[in-house]
Amino acid sequence: MLEVQNLYKVFTGSEVLNGIGFKVEKGEVVAIIGQSGSGKTTLLRCISFLEKADSGRIIFDEYENDITKVSKKEIKNLRMRMGFVFQGFNLFSNMTVFENVMEGLVTARKMNKDVAREKTMKVLDKVGMSSYADRYPGELSGGQQQRVAIARAIAPDPEVILFDEPTSALDPELTGEVLEVMKKLAKEGTTMVVVTHEMGFAREVASRVVFMDKGVVVEEGTAKEVIDNPKEERTRQFLKKAGSKFEL
Ligand SMILES: Nc1ncnc2c1ncn2[C@@H]1O[C@H](COP(=O)(O)OP(=O)(O)OP(=O)(O)O)[C@@H](O)[C@H]1O
Ligand SMILES: [Mg+2]
């Protein structure tokens, strides 16, 4: 459904993406794992045009193009089909929870206000935040803020949602509630790409796990294959370190 091929990205002398190919099919939950600096965030940022790739191709269903030749209008269209949830919650602090979710529906998506209101209540309910609709982000815990950010991302019904370490800024006791919401979305068949250090989540929820190192995919497969029986030495080394840090 959404694919990049042969993606390259250099940041002032350091090659961050080295011809990486990455693909997510409809209904899949792909977990991307890999050590700090391996290029995971850069990959998501290039796919979502927050960062300009140096070369490569992008394919989104019927759309295919050189990723450096996508016009501004096409970028806008492609981005409308994606949802984003990043590490920081990026909610507007001067808007209520309700307004944070509804804003994009009315402005970017030009949705009728009544329809947008209804949709907003529905997604807040889905993430268990409807009783906080009138609160401001500053009055919420990190986990609650991230659930609102997820509600905002799913509200326009994007075809795929990209998550970049959605729980890594949270205290351990708050990660569970966010992962639960993501599990629920996964169960409903939402197409998701999740950069994560949560091996438990990857093992339980991901239909495919992709291990990245130095800007390429080193190994991919089911969680059983990649996490429990890694073939590549680099994957084994990574998991060994991750295991001591994150309690496999
Ligand atoms: N805007 C930037 N300018 C210069 N270098 C950058 C920029 N963004 C990322 N890099 C470099 O690119 C490399 C890959 O970074 P990236 O953030 O993609 O890694 P990551 O796999 O997401 O790591 P982490 O697990 O720590 O989030 C790093 O060496 C980083 O320093
Ligand atoms: Mg990152």
Side-chain angles (χ1 to χ4, degrees):
M1 181 179 99
L2 176 58
E3 179 173 4
V4 286
Q5 297 172 342
N6 233 359
L7 209 61
Y8 285 86
K9 175 72 188 173
V10 174
F11 279 122
T12 47
S14 77
E15 294 159 347
V16 177
L17 299 179
N18 284 304
I20 193 168
F22 176 79
K23 185 178 187 169
V24 55
E25 300 289 0
K26 194 170 161 48
E28 256 192 329
V29 178
V30 182
I32 303 180
I33 60 173
Q35 59 187 325
S36 183
S38 56
K40 305 179 301 293
T41 294
T42 307
L43 173 65
L44 290 195
R45 288 177 60 86
C46 286
I47 291 177
S48 50
F49 297 95
L50 292 171
E51 201 72 67
K52 209 168 177 318
D54 297 328
S55 62
R57 291 193 79 72
I58 184 157
I59 301 163
F60 202 154
D61 291 331
E62 75 296 337
Y63 180 86
E64 178 170 357
N65 203 350
D66 180 326
I67 197 161
T68 63
K69 304 230 161 79
V70 183
S71 71
K72 278 208 174 116
K73 190 168 167 232
E74 286 169 326
I75 288 177
K76 197 172 161 219
N77 284 337
L78 290 173
R79 283 178 54 88
M80 290 269 236
R81 298 168 65 181
M82 310 175 190
F84 311 98
V85 178
F86 296 135
Q87 192 176 358
F89 325 119
N90 306 324
L91 299 173
F92 297 110
S93 58
N94 58 338
M95 288 187 197
T96 64
V97 163
F98 194 87
E99 289 163 348
N100 262 283
V101 177
M102 186 163 144
E103 162 80 11
L105 297 177
V106 177
T107 53
R109 314 266 166 175
K110 314 277 179 238
M111 204 182 262
N112 165 293
K113 275 200 176 157
D114 288 334
V115 180
R117 251 182 230 116
E118 208 168 297
K119 189 77 195 175
T120 300
M121 264 338 267
K122 207 171 135 198
V123 292
L124 283 177
D125 194 42
K126 187 175 264 182
V127 302
M129 288 300 293
S130 47
S131 55
Y132 294 84
D134 296 328
R135 299 270 196 105
Y136 286 87
E139 303 169 323
L140 305 178
S141 73
Q144 291 171 332
Q145 289 183 51
Q146 193 61 309
R147 285 190 279 144
V148 174
I150 293 174
R152 185 177 58 182
I154 62 176
D157 292 319
E159 291 165 55
V160 54
I161 307 179
L162 310 177
F163 295 83
D164 190 3
E165 304 203 32
T167 58
S168 62
L170 299 176
D171 292 337
E173 67 270 23
L174 297 177
T175 61
E177 63 187 63
V178 173
L179 294 177
E180 279 309 313
V181 167
M182 293 171 65
K183 272 184 214 168
K184 191 161 144 189
L185 295 178
K187 265 201 198 121
E188 290 171 359
T190 313
T191 310
M192 296 159 63
V193 178
V194 187
V195 171
T196 186
H197 286 298
E198 300 282 343
M199 294 302 152
F201 174 82
R203 195 191 259 121
E204 192 183 333
V205 183
S207 35
R208 192 152 52 85
V209 175
V210 171
F211 170 63
M212 257 183 90
D213 192 31
K214 301 199 174 87
V216 294
V217 171
V218 173
E219 182 165 358
E220 62 181 305
T222 61
K224 235 196 174 87
E225 288 163 347
V226 178
I227 298 177
D228 298 341
N229 301 290
K231 284 198 202 72
E232 300 292 331
E233 185 53 33
R234 270 196 275 176
T235 319
R236 275 198 282 270
Q237 289 300 329
F238 167 76
L239 289 168
K240 216 155 124 192
K241 271 193 235 152
S244 56
K245 238 190 306 184
F246 303 105
E247 288 176 37
L248 268 178

